C-alpha cells in the first residue's frame, strides 16, 4: 500500500449502482478499495469498467461466511460497506426465501466475519425506506415505527436490527443508513425509474415501443445515488456509530416521473383521462400509444407514499442532497438517449 493511501475499504455489491459510485468516491478520498464480488459465470462489471485498474476484486458469496472471512483477511479493511442484496422489491415476492437469505442473513454473515477477524472494523449497513412500508407518519424519520410491506422490506428490517444488536452486544462500530429511493443512469433496467427513462429514449429514437407500468399514483422520495454514497462515508467518520435517514424530503408520484421524462426528451404526451388499469398515454404529435398499465406490475401489498426527514443527517453529518428531482430525471433520460444513439 502506497504512503498516500489514507484507509482501506471493502465494499460488498461493488458492481451495483451504489457500489460503483461509492468506489469512485472512496478512490477520490485516497482509499485503497476492495470489492467483494459474487462468484458467477457471467460477471457484470459495466458500472466499474472505468476503475477496474484502480480497485481489487475478491470473489465470494454473502451466504458463504468462510469466503467473507478470507476477503476480510486479504483486504484488511478499516471500513466495510455492505451494499450487496437482492434489491428488487417486485422480485422479492417471487423469491422470498432467497431474498431473506441474501438480504437478511447475509448481513449476519458479514457481521460475524468482522467479529471473528477484527471487531474494530467500522461497518455500514444499507438499510432501506421500504422498512417503513405502510408508513405510520409522514415524513418518516429515525424514530418512525417500521411496517414493511414486502419480503424485501422484511429482510432489510432484519439486517437493520441485527446490525444494531451487534453494535450494542459486541461494542462494534455498526451504522445503518436508511436510504430512500436513489437513482442514477446506472440504475438497473428492472427498476421503474430506469425502465421509464430507457423506454422514453427508445420512443424518442423512433422505435416501436410501449411502456408497461403498474401503479402510477405511488409516491416516492427520489434522490441521486452519487449524493447518497457520501452520506454512507460520513457515517463511518463519526466518533460514535448511529443510524440516519438519507432522503430529499420531497415526494413525487411515478406519474410525475413519467411525465417529466417525456418532457426531458421533448415528447408531448396526453392521458386518455381514465384511471387505474384503463389509463393510457399517447403521443400528441402522432397519436400513438406510448404507455399502458399492466396489472402484473402492481405489488401484492402496495407502499403508497414514502418521504424522508433527513434533518438529523444534516445536523450531525453536515449532509444534504445536491441533485433535485427534475435534474435527476433529465440526467437519466439524457444518458439513455446517448446510449441509444451510440447503438
Amino acid at each position: 500500500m502506497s504512503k498516500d493511501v489514507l484507509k482501506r475499504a471493502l465494499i460488498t455489491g461493488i458492481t451495483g449502482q451504489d457500489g460503483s459510485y461509492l468506489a469512485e468516491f472512496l478512490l477520490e478520498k485516497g482509499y485503497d478499495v476492495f470489492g467483494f464480488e459474487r462468484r458467477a459465470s457471467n460477471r457484470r462489471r459495466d458500472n466499474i469498467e472505468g476503475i477496474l485498474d484502480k480497485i481489487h476484486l475478491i470473489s465470494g458469496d454473502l451466504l458463504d461466511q468462510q469466503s467473507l472471512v478470507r476477503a476480510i483477511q486479504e483486504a484488511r479493511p478499516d471500513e466495510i460497506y455492505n451494499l450487496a442484496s437482492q434489491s428488487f422489491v417486485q422480485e422479492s415476492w417471487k423469491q422470498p426465501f432467497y431474498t431473506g437469505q441474501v438480504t437478511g442473513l447475509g448481513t449476519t454473515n458479514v457481521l460475524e466475519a468482522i467479529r471473528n477477524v477484527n471487531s474494530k472494523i467500522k461497518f455500514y449497513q444499507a438499510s432501506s425506506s421500504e422498512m417503513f412500508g405502510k408508513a405510520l407518519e409522514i415524513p418518516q424519520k429515525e424514530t418512525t415505527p417500521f411496517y414493511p410491506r414486502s419480503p424485501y422490506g422484511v429482510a432489510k428490517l432484519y439486517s437493520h436490527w441485527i446490525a444494531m444488536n451487534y453494535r450494542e452486544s459486541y461494542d462494534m462500530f455498526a451504522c445503518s443508513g436508511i436510504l430512500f429511493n436513489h437513482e442514477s443512469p446506472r440504475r438497473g433496467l428492472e427498476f421503474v425509474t430506469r425502465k421509464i427513462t430507457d423506454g422514453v429514449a427508445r420512443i424518442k429514437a423512433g422505435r416501436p415501443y410501449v411502456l408497461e407500468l403498474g401503479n402510477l399514483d405511488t409516491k416516492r422520495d427520489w434522490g441521486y445515488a452519487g449524493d447518497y454514497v457520501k452520506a454512507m462515508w460520513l457515517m463511518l467518520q463519526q466518533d460514535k456509530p448511529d443510524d440516519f435517514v438519507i432522503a430529499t424530503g420531497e415526494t413525487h408520484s411515478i406519474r410525475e416521473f413519467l411525465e417529466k421524462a417525456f418532457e426531458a426528451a421533448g415528447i408531448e404526451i396526453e392521458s386518455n383521462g381514465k384511471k387505474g388499469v384503463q389509463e393510457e398515454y399517447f403521443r400528441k404529435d402522432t397519436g400513438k400509444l406510448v404507455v399502458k398499465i399492466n396489472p402484473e406490475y402492481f405489488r401484492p401489498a402496495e407502499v403508497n407514499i414514502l418521504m424522508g426527514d433527513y434533518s438529523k443527517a444534516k445536523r450531525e453529518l453536515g449532509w444534504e442532497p445536491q441533485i433535485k428531482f427534475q435534474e435527476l430525471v433529465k440526467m437519466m433520460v439524457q444518458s439513455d438517449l446517448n446510449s441509444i444513439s451510440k447503438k
Side-chain angles (χ1 to χ4, degrees):
M1 184 171 67
S2 60
K3 292 181 180 178
D4 60 340
V5 170
L6 296 175
K7 293 179 182 177
R8 300 165 74 97
L10 175 63
I11 304 170
T12 73
I14 194 170
T15 58
Q17 170 189 257
D18 292 8
S20 63
Y21 279 112
L22 178 61
E24 290 170 358
F25 177 84
L26 294 178
L27 286 171
E28 289 175 5
K29 290 287 181 184
Y31 277 65
D32 204 3
V33 177
F34 292 77
F36 189 69
E37 181 184 41
R38 189 167 64 90
R39 300 186 189 101
S41 55
N42 272 328
R43 286 175 173 161
R44 298 199 61 178
R45 295 175 173 175
D46 298 357
N47 290 335
I48 57 171
E49 195 172 349
I51 56 171
L52 275 173
D53 60 337
K54 300 174 184 176
I55 61 176
H56 317 278
L57 293 175
I58 304 172
S59 292
D61 195 303
L62 284 185
L63 301 182
D64 177 5
Q65 194 184 88
Q66 282 307 306
S67 70
L68 284 162
V69 168
R70 287 194 297 272
I72 293 171
Q73 290 173 336
E74 180 179 337
R76 292 179 288 113
D78 301 285
E79 300 168 359
I80 291 179
Y81 298 83
N82 184 36
L83 310 185
S85 72
Q86 191 301 102
S87 58
F88 187 36
V89 176
Q90 192 76 18
E91 188 64 26
S92 76
W93 287 104
K94 298 174 184 176
Q95 299 190 69
F97 183 73
Y98 175 74
T99 300
Q101 281 188 310
V102 176
T103 307
L105 293 176
T107 302
T108 308
N109 281 339
V110 179
L111 287 163
E112 269 296 286
I114 292 171
R115 190 171 74 87
N116 290 325
V117 178
N118 178 7
S119 63
K120 298 302 180 184
I121 295 170
K122 291 186 174 183
F123 174 77
Y124 170 84
Q125 169 57 27
S127 290
S128 168
S129 59
E130 288 287 336
M131 301 187 310
F132 293 120
K134 189 176 180 180
L136 299 180
E137 66 177 342
I138 299 171
Q140 294 90 50
K141 48 187 180 288
E142 291 80 5
T143 55
T144 301
F146 298 118
Y147 196 144
R149 297 269 280 174
S150 68
Y152 171 77
V154 172
K156 278 293 186 183
L157 184 53
Y158 172 89
S159 284
H160 182 81
W161 282 114
I162 200 68
M164 184 182 292
N165 271 262
Y166 271 68
R167 177 169 75 209
E168 295 176 353
S169 301
Y170 299 117
D171 194 28
M172 291 170 62
F173 195 110
C175 294
S176 288
I178 307 173
L179 271 58
F180 281 64
N181 293 63
H182 46 290
E183 317 299 317
S184 78
R186 299 179 192 175
R187 193 55 138 158
L189 285 168
E190 67 271 23
F191 292 89
V192 68
T193 50
R194 182 72 196 294
K195 181 179 181 179
I196 289 171
T197 60
D198 175 73
V200 168
R202 290 167 186 259
I203 292 165
K204 178 69 173 179
R207 299 187 181 183
Y209 189 81
V210 177
L211 260 169
E212 295 188 16
L213 300 171
N215 185 1
L216 298 184
D217 294 317
T218 297
K219 293 183 177 180
R220 292 290 183 268
D221 184 328
W222 277 303
Y224 172 52
D227 288 341
Y228 285 33
V229 297
K230 182 179 180 182
M232 300 175 188
W233 174 76
L234 284 168
M235 289 179 211
L236 298 196
Q237 311 316 306
Q238 305 307 302
D239 293 331
K240 293 181 180 179
D242 204 351
D243 305 325
F244 295 86
V245 162
I246 305 300
T248 69
E250 297 179 7
T251 187
H252 301 272
S253 68
I254 292 175
R255 177 179 283 100
E256 189 177 351
F257 193 103
L258 175 73
E259 292 172 351
K260 291 295 182 186
F262 274 106
E263 183 183 308
I267 300 173
E268 287 191 75
I269 58 172
E270 58 184 350
S271 169
N272 62 0
K274 297 179 180 179
K275 292 295 181 183
V277 296
Q278 301 299 318
E279 187 171 10
E280 295 176 330
Y281 278 86
F282 300 85
R283 285 187 70 147
K284 280 189 175 181
D285 55 354
T286 65
K288 286 185 177 179
L289 176 69
V290 288
V291 180
K292 69 178 182 179
I293 305 303
N294 186 339
E296 222 178 274
Y297 297 120
F298 281 73
R299 294 185 186 182
E302 189 57 81
V303 174
N304 293 317
I305 180 168
L306 292 175
M307 182 171 70
D309 176 356
Y310 67 92
S311 56
K312 179 181 175 182
K314 183 177 181 179
R315 182 177 65 252
E316 298 187 19
L317 303 178
W319 180 90
E320 54 186 324
Q322 302 300 311
I323 302 294
K324 299 299 183 182
F325 174 74
Q326 194 156 338
E327 187 180 351
L328 173 64
V329 178
K330 286 181 178 178
M331 176 200 301
M332 293 176 67
V333 169
Q334 192 56 57
S335 175
D336 281 323
L337 285 170
N338 291 342
S339 295
I340 291 285
S341 65
K342 287 177 183 176
K343 290 175 184 176

